[in-house]
Amino acid sequence: MRWIFKRWISLLVLPATLALAGLILVVRSCVDENIVAEQEFTLNVNLGGDTTRFEVSRNAFSLPAPKLTNQERRTFEVGDSFFTQNWVTAPSSTKARDGLGPTFNAQACSSCHVLDGRGSPPDPSGEEARLGLLVRLSIPGSDPRTGAPLPDPNYGRQLQDRSVVGVPAEGTLLLTYDTIRGTYGDGAPYELRVPNFDILDLAFGPLSEDVGLAPRLAPQVIGMGLLQAIPAESILVLADPDDSNGDGISGKANMVWDAKSMTKKLGRFGWKASVPTIEQQSAGAFHGDIGITSVLHLEENCPLPQSECAEAANGGTPELTESRLQAVEFYVRTLAVPAMRDGESSDILAGAKLFENFGCASCHTTTHRTAEADVEALSNQVFHPYTDLLLHDMGPGLADEGKVFEADESEWRTPPLWGLCSYCH
């Protein structure tokens, strides 16, 4: 059984496109230095406020925020271990980390978020392991209670391409590329890779005829505690879905289901701003990516036709205890943000001025302030993530398959630009 999906320009090229845009800003800024000369322009390199670390090694994304207490550092280290180390098949003598699967995409959070950085598109030759890329599945409609996308009846909300012994994997994801070449208005050439997704070897019959596929690359996880600590009203005031002020920017909030309060709340995390908190993002990733249950996802991820999955041994209920989930949440919440490198160089300053003049900061909001938080290191911080956390319509070339709460197919959360270029990537 074979299912083919092709998108001319997909999410996979978005990080590369952003990096290319940043490079163009810097290159063109060298051509017209008078832009900077018009007025003095400076950058604050402390992107994470007091959580900033001046670090350029391969561990730049993996350090704790400064000023954590001794007890907070211990919690950080516990969370780090559960984020980094592999889970194993149950039953096992490794009781704290057994219960992998039965179907899954990776064995640890760090398998996809390597050194807490981003996933990379896999090598099309197939010689490198394909981790950090997965495919979400949905059928038309939404859950009448939560508004969440509906799963494929045979395969759920995510294709699981790996499994424990004795349980069939759901299918195999094959990625190949075509190439688009063109030129910018000034004659400069560009080249983009076009991903083609083939889903092969489906174990439980065909996907629904009207199923939507949504490829996802693992994002970096730095600074998420700061983003969570921004008051909701500070984000909502930036929303202008109908462009009532006529500036050409029409960002909107994604109001999503909060599984703890059982109400709709502002979405902040994920490519579509579809998750309200770090805790729920972490629990959802454990469940969907690794097959680990928690207090927020008590049932194994075994759609109805998958009897071997349902009958497989588990690591207890839940497999990730509440205290360990909280430790992972704390780890992600208090990861430090690397400082901007070379923030005083003329090229960077010129590019930043062009960034401002072109209106990029209308969506990539430069500065935010956190409210009081239960972690002192995150309280009342002025920081610079370059995002408004709102949804913006990126056009049909970047459209995805299926609506996610209030995010339409072509609407995406503004990605933070801190740490875009890093030794961790």
Side-chain angles (χ1 to χ4, degrees):
M1 181 62 63
R2 179 173 175 143
W3 204 100
I4 303 176
F5 169 71
K6 184 169 183 177
R7 171 69 60 192
W8 277 111
I9 300 177
S10 85
L11 183 60
L12 283 177
V13 303
L14 184 57
T17 306
L18 290 172
L20 179 62
L23 177 62
I24 292 168
L25 289 180
V26 173
V27 171
R28 289 181 176 171
S29 70
C30 299
V31 177
D32 190 357
E33 296 182 355
N34 291 329
I35 293 175
V36 179
E38 292 175 3
Q39 67 181 75
E40 185 177 355
F41 189 81
T42 60
L43 287 172
N44 190 328
V45 300
N46 290 349
L47 299 180
D50 289 346
T51 75
T52 304
R53 291 273 194 174
F54 288 80
E55 178 68 44
V56 295
S57 75
R58 65 194 300 269
N59 293 315
F61 284 10
S62 300
L63 300 175
K67 300 181 180 180
L68 295 184
T69 66
N70 289 338
Q71 179 57 51
E72 289 171 341
R73 279 298 302 271
R74 286 191 287 271
T75 303
F76 180 92
E77 296 301 334
V78 171
D80 186 4
S81 70
F82 282 97
F83 188 94
T84 304
Q85 297 182 25
N86 283 350
W87 289 75
V88 298
T89 305
S92 169
S93 58
T94 310
K95 293 298 183 185
R97 291 184 178 83
D98 71 342
L100 175 68
T103 57
F104 59 96
N105 297 108
Q107 289 180 257
C109 306
S110 61
S111 299
C112 301
H113 305 278
V114 179
L115 295 173
D116 303 291
R118 298 181 299 281
S120 296
D123 177 5
S125 71
E127 295 178 359
E128 295 181 5
R130 187 202 52 74
L131 291 173
L133 172 67
L134 55 83
V135 175
R136 296 271 168 79
L137 310 171
S138 63
I139 61 176
S142 59
D143 185 288
R145 182 174 68 97
T146 68
L150 296 176
D152 181 273
N154 292 344
Y155 296 93
R157 274 284 290 138
Q158 188 167 310
L159 182 75
Q160 310 288 344
D161 56 2
R162 304 175 68 189
S163 61
V164 301
V165 174
V167 175
E170 294 181 335
T172 302
L173 177 63
L174 177 66
L175 174 61
T176 58
Y177 294 97
D178 295 330
T179 300
I180 291 179
R181 294 182 176 88
T183 56
Y184 292 104
D186 62 359
Y190 68 79
E191 183 175 295
L192 294 175
R193 295 195 304 175
V194 183
N196 306 302
F197 297 91
D198 291 359
I199 299 180
L200 312 176
D201 308 319
L202 287 167
F204 302 100
L207 293 165
S208 298
E209 184 176 350
D210 51 0
V211 72
L213 303 186
R216 293 288 185 269
L217 274 176
Q220 61 194 25
V221 292
I222 58 171
M224 290 177 65
L226 293 170
L227 297 177
Q228 182 168 275
I230 302 171
E233 56 268 23
S234 298
I235 299 170
L236 294 173
V237 75
L238 300 174
D240 185 15
D242 300 317
D243 191 21
S244 58
N245 62 6
D247 66 352
I249 305 299
S250 53
K252 77 176 188 184
N254 197 1
M255 304 306 294
V256 306
W257 184 252
D258 185 299
K260 296 203 77 171
S261 68
M262 307 294 280
T263 60
K264 289 287 188 73
K265 287 192 175 179
L266 174 68
R268 301 171 188 250
F269 302 111
W271 288 101
K272 295 275 190 175
S274 58
V275 185
T277 66
I278 298 168
E279 179 187 27
Q280 292 176 58
Q281 179 78 5
S282 300
F286 269 107
H287 191 244
D289 302 350
I290 312 176
I292 299 298
T293 60
S294 68
V295 292
L296 295 179
H297 297 277
L298 287 171
E299 296 183 2
E300 296 286 354
N301 187 15
C302 299
L304 191 60
Q306 301 187 26
S307 57
E308 294 96 336
C309 176
E311 295 167 3
N314 62 53
T317 304
E319 292 160 332
L320 180 67
T321 65
E322 186 168 9
S323 64
R324 290 166 182 159
L325 173 59
Q326 295 304 322
V328 172
E329 186 269 352
F330 186 86
Y331 169 74
V332 174
R333 188 156 57 114
T334 55
L335 282 168
V337 177
M340 179 184 292
R341 299 197 303 273
D342 302 322
E344 296 180 356
S345 75
S346 59
D347 284 352
I348 297 296
L349 289 171
K353 186 61 179 177
L354 285 170
F355 185 91
E356 181 182 85
N357 288 346
F358 291 163
C360 303
S362 298
C363 302
H364 294 279
T365 305
T366 305
T367 302
H368 289 278
R369 180 188 292 272
T370 67
E372 290 283 343
D374 61 343
V375 178
E376 184 60 30
L378 302 175
S379 291
N380 301 310
Q381 293 298 304
V382 176
F383 66 105
H384 311 286
Y386 292 86
T387 177
D388 58 8
L389 296 180
L390 297 174
L391 301 170
H392 295 271
D393 191 335
M394 302 301 292
L398 284 175
D400 205 292
E401 299 294 324
K403 187 171 183 177
V404 184
F405 295 105
E406 297 179 24
D408 291 331
E409 288 84 349
S410 58
E411 292 180 321
W412 301 89
R413 185 195 72 156
T414 305
L417 297 184
W418 52 12
L420 184 61
C421 297
S422 169
Y423 292 110
C424 296
H425 182 45

